[in-house]
Structure formats: C-alpha cells, structure tokens
Amino acid sequence: MRRGSGQDHLALRGAVQGRGLHEGRKGREMIEVVPMSIKDAKIFVERNHRHHHAPLGGLFAIGLADGDKIVGAAVVGRPVARLAQDGFTAEVTRLCTDGTKQSCSKLYAACWRAARSMGYRKLITYTLTSEPGTSLIASGWK
C-alpha cells in the first residue's frame, strides 16, 4: 500500500478482508468495529478532530467502518495524569468520528471491551465541559 495516499489509504485499510459486513434495516450497511493501527488512527484524528491534534503514541487503536469507509477512530494509551498510572488503568486519549450516528458510543464500548480483555481494570477519558457526554452514558460509562 502506498504511503501518503490520504483518505483512500484509510478507506482501504478499513476494509476487512474475509469478513462481510452485515446489512442493517432498510438495506443499509451497519457500522462495524475494525482493527486499526495507531498510525492510521492518528492520521484520521489529525484530519477530522475539531479541537485536538493526534496523540503522540498509544497502546492500541480501534477503527469504525461503514462499508469500506472509515468513519471513526479511537486511540487508547497510558493515562496522561501521573497519579492514574497504576498499571491497571488506560485512557482513551482521542476519539474522533465523522458524525456517523452512534459511532462514538460504539467506539467507547469497543475500547472498554479491548482494554478489559488485556487486563486493564479501569478505562478513563476526559471531555470538554461544553460536551454533554451522551456517548459515554450510552455506552455504559459511569
């Protein structure tokens, strides 16, 4: 795959080989969690996040696809706050979507499932005070 091919590169990386996407109601393809490299997630965040740049690194990344198009990405890393770095806590350092309905909630839930399966006991994130946190509540965060 070529480097620097932009959104086309991300769309190709988001297409999951060997797995067909199932169709939702009204014949529309449903959004689906897909594997994503931290590098590709950082590219997506850099291009689409409204107020932050991509994080410098991370533990893992998760993508969200609608057909062959990447519609969201999340990067999970070590907590930024020193006191939260206990070895059992991870932090969603960036989550970014293109506005596709329910994509934020789906990514937050997928991040928690992945972190929990890796042995993390706690997953944290921060939002702006101007953001209502609806996606966090919808995905079961407390």
Side-chain angles (χ1 to χ4, degrees), residues 49-108:
H49 204 283
R50 345 174 233 167
H51 53 81
H52 282 304
H53 293 289
L56 296 177
L59 296 170
F60 63 90
I62 296 175
L64 202 61
D66 186 357
D68 286 343
K69 180 184 177 202
I70 296 294
V71 297
V75 179
V76 177
R78 290 179 48 218
V80 174
R82 264 186 325 152
L83 294 177
Q85 294 180 10
D86 59 4
F88 295 102
T89 302
E91 179 180 333
V92 178
T93 54
R94 290 293 182 281
L95 187 136
C96 178
T97 71
D98 67 355
T100 300
K101 228 175 163 179
Q102 300 176 354
S103 55
C104 290
S105 301
K106 197 160 194 154
L107 276 171
Y108 277 125

